[in-house]
Amino acid sequence: MNPASNNKIVKRYKIEAKTGYGFRVEKGQRLRIVDLEGEQVADLVCFARHDPHEYLSSGRSINYAEKIYLSGGDVLYSNRSNPMLTIETDQVGRHDFLFAPCSQKMFAIVYDIHEPHPNCLENLTQSLKPFGISEDQIPIPFNVFMNAQVSEDGRINILPPLSKAGDYIEFRAEMDLMVAVSACSALRCNNFSWGPIGIEIRENEQR
Amino acid sequence: MNPASNNKIVKRYKIEAKTGYGFRVEKGQRLRIVDLEGEQVADLVCFARHDPHEYLSSGRSINYAEKIYLSGGDVLYSNRSNPMLTIETDQVGRHDFLFAPCSQKMFAIVYDIHEPHPNCLENLTQSLKPFGISEDQIPIPFNVFMNAQVSEDGRINILPPLSKAGDYIEFRAEMDLMVAVSACSALRCNNFSWGPIGIEIRENEQR
């Protein structure tokens, strides 16, 4: 279940609370996202290195998984129906794939907050700018550790993440990727406090 | 509940089974989508006329509605958090906003169909080509009449549409739009047969 977990770490990075980070991942490498202090959501988006018009697609991934909560063994697909990331290890088991990244306008509409507020859309945009990707290209993220519970009638209840300090999810990259991750600064989905997110990239020993 | 239903029809079009259609809708006009023969899904996408990089966003709409099944009174938002379409009348009450449009690759992955098959992604792409919009820009559609039932554990069960012959949904356009609609050619979501879709655009008398 966890074949790559002891492989050599080629990159380790701490995303401070309410900020984002953009980086490259090679095909076959493992990407681990760690909730360092617990109950912290991490918005993840990715793009094909060969062409940023190929991007993470919630709609394709949900279609092929035939479920809305993806976990160990499930595959995150691109808009062109190619596998981008496979979830190899999931210590938490609950993530969201429905919500757009929080944004300045979201804080105004949902929370009536009108002064500037750190937000995932801006974090992801800034993190992806060096790769030539613009705000409008940012797709619906895989919202790691976000616990949006959908009831039988379709209503959504945003609950605290199930992740405790040190819990992680680990993906295998199925193609060369540009990735951005944001330590989410929304209120309810992080149980009204904000922490950092750890990033670890492990080499694929079979390469 | 149905203030525009008797307004003058400025456009009426029949989308034949397994085909698509692209058209303009002005702010304030009403767009009615009719299931002419029953149990037929219609994939709907739209783009802001002033800038096609502003497009329909399931992730924003679901966020602001706080539910996955949108119906009368709910608003379909753009990726920039602006209202695009408001559902004014809904005679069916069950539509999907999770699935990407069916595509040639989807037929291969889900149904093991490898010969060319009519599909919504191609229909939408062809319908939007005159507006300068390309395949990779097509977002997750509002899948009108599609009945994808999500259970408490997140699993999705695709059931026949609840729409009977003549049933419709009517939207008010909240901005000038480019719209494309495809009469879906997937198997399960249309209960294994395919029919046409009616389009009606009504003038806003208050203009």
Side-chain angles (χ1 to χ4, degrees), chain B residues 39-202:
Chain B
E39 295 194 342
Q40 175 60 47
V41 169
D43 285 28
L44 179 152
V45 295
C46 57
F47 299 81
R49 189 90 60 80
H50 71 97
D51 182 354
H53 296 105
E54 180 164 11
Y55 54 86
L56 180 66
S57 171
S58 62
R60 293 272 163 235
S61 307
I62 287 171
N63 187 162
Y64 299 140
E66 297 192 3
K67 55 187 170 183
I68 58 169
Y69 306 126
L70 274 63
S71 185
D74 292 323
V75 176
L76 276 54
Y77 282 86
S78 75
N79 59 312
R80 296 181 189 168
S81 292
N82 296 314
M84 301 188 97
L85 292 166
T86 298
I87 304 174
E88 284 199 330
T89 309
D90 183 2
Q91 296 189 326
V92 177
R94 176 53 61 91
H95 317 281
D96 169 76
F97 215 172
L98 303 177
F99 279 65
C102 69
S103 67
Q104 194 59 51
K105 284 187 183 167
M106 184 283 271
F107 281 105
I109 292 170
V110 174
Y111 294 111
D112 202 27
I113 293 173
H114 298 272
E115 58 270 30
H117 193 288
N119 63 82
C120 287
L121 183 61
E122 198 175 305
N123 291 343
L124 295 169
T125 301
Q126 291 304 318
S127 301
L128 291 163
K129 198 176 269 183
F131 300 108
I133 293 163
S134 66
E135 182 173 306
D136 288 324
Q137 290 178 268
I138 293 175
I140 296 167
F142 188 63
N143 296 304
V144 175
F145 310 131
M146 180 167 165
N147 187 3
Q149 178 64 40
V150 178
S151 61
E152 202 81 19
D153 68 357
R155 284 181 198 282
I156 299 173
N157 194 9
I158 296 178
L159 301 169
L162 300 178
S163 48
K164 298 178 299 297
D167 282 349
Y168 66 85
I169 184 170
E170 190 167 284
F171 305 90
R172 184 179 62 242
E174 304 294 356
M175 61 171 73
D176 291 347
L177 295 170
M178 299 172 291
V179 178
V181 175
S182 172
C184 180
S185 58
L187 285 78
R188 283 184 300 164
C189 65
N190 297 296
N191 205 12
F192 300 91
S193 73
W194 304 279
I197 286 289
I199 298 289
E200 293 172 8
I201 300 175
R202 285 177 163 70

Side-chain angles (χ1 to χ4, degrees), chain A residues 53 55 58-60 64 66-69 79-80 98 100-101 105-106 136 140 149 152-154 156 188, chain B residues 55 58-60 64 66-69 79-80 98 100-101 105-106 136 140 149 152-154 156 188:
Chain A
H53 296 106
Y55 52 88
S58 62
R60 293 272 162 236
Y64 299 140
E66 297 191 4
K67 57 187 169 183
I68 59 170
Y69 306 126
N79 60 312
R80 297 181 189 167
L98 302 177
K105 286 188 182 168
M106 185 283 271
D136 288 324
I140 296 167
Q149 178 64 39
E152 202 80 20
D153 68 357
I156 299 172
R188 283 184 300 165
Chain B
Y55 54 86
S58 62
R60 293 272 163 235
Y64 299 140
E66 297 192 3
K67 55 187 170 183
I68 58 169
Y69 306 126
N79 59 312
R80 296 181 189 168
L98 303 177
K105 284 187 183 167
M106 184 283 271
D136 288 324
I140 296 167
Q149 178 64 40
E152 202 81 19
D153 68 357
I156 299 173
R188 283 184 300 164

Side-chain angles (χ1 to χ4, degrees), chain A residues 99 110-111 146-149 156-161 187-192, chain B residues 63 66:
Chain A
F99 279 65
V110 174
Y111 293 111
M146 179 168 168
N147 186 3
Q149 178 64 39
I156 299 172
N157 194 11
I158 296 178
L159 301 169
L187 286 78
R188 283 184 300 165
C189 65
N190 298 297
N191 205 13
F192 300 91
Chain B
N63 187 162
E66 297 192 3

Side-chain angles (χ1 to χ4, degrees), chain A residues 89-132:
Chain A
T89 309
D90 182 2
Q91 296 189 326
V92 176
R94 176 54 61 91
H95 317 281
D96 170 75
F97 216 171
L98 302 177
F99 279 65
C102 69
S103 68
Q104 194 58 52
K105 286 188 182 168
M106 185 283 271
F107 281 105
I109 292 171
V110 174
Y111 293 111
D112 202 26
I113 294 173
H114 298 272
E115 57 269 31
H117 193 288
N119 64 81
C120 287
L121 183 61
E122 198 175 304
N123 291 343
L124 296 169
T125 300
Q126 291 305 319
S127 302
L128 290 163
K129 200 177 268 185
F131 300 109

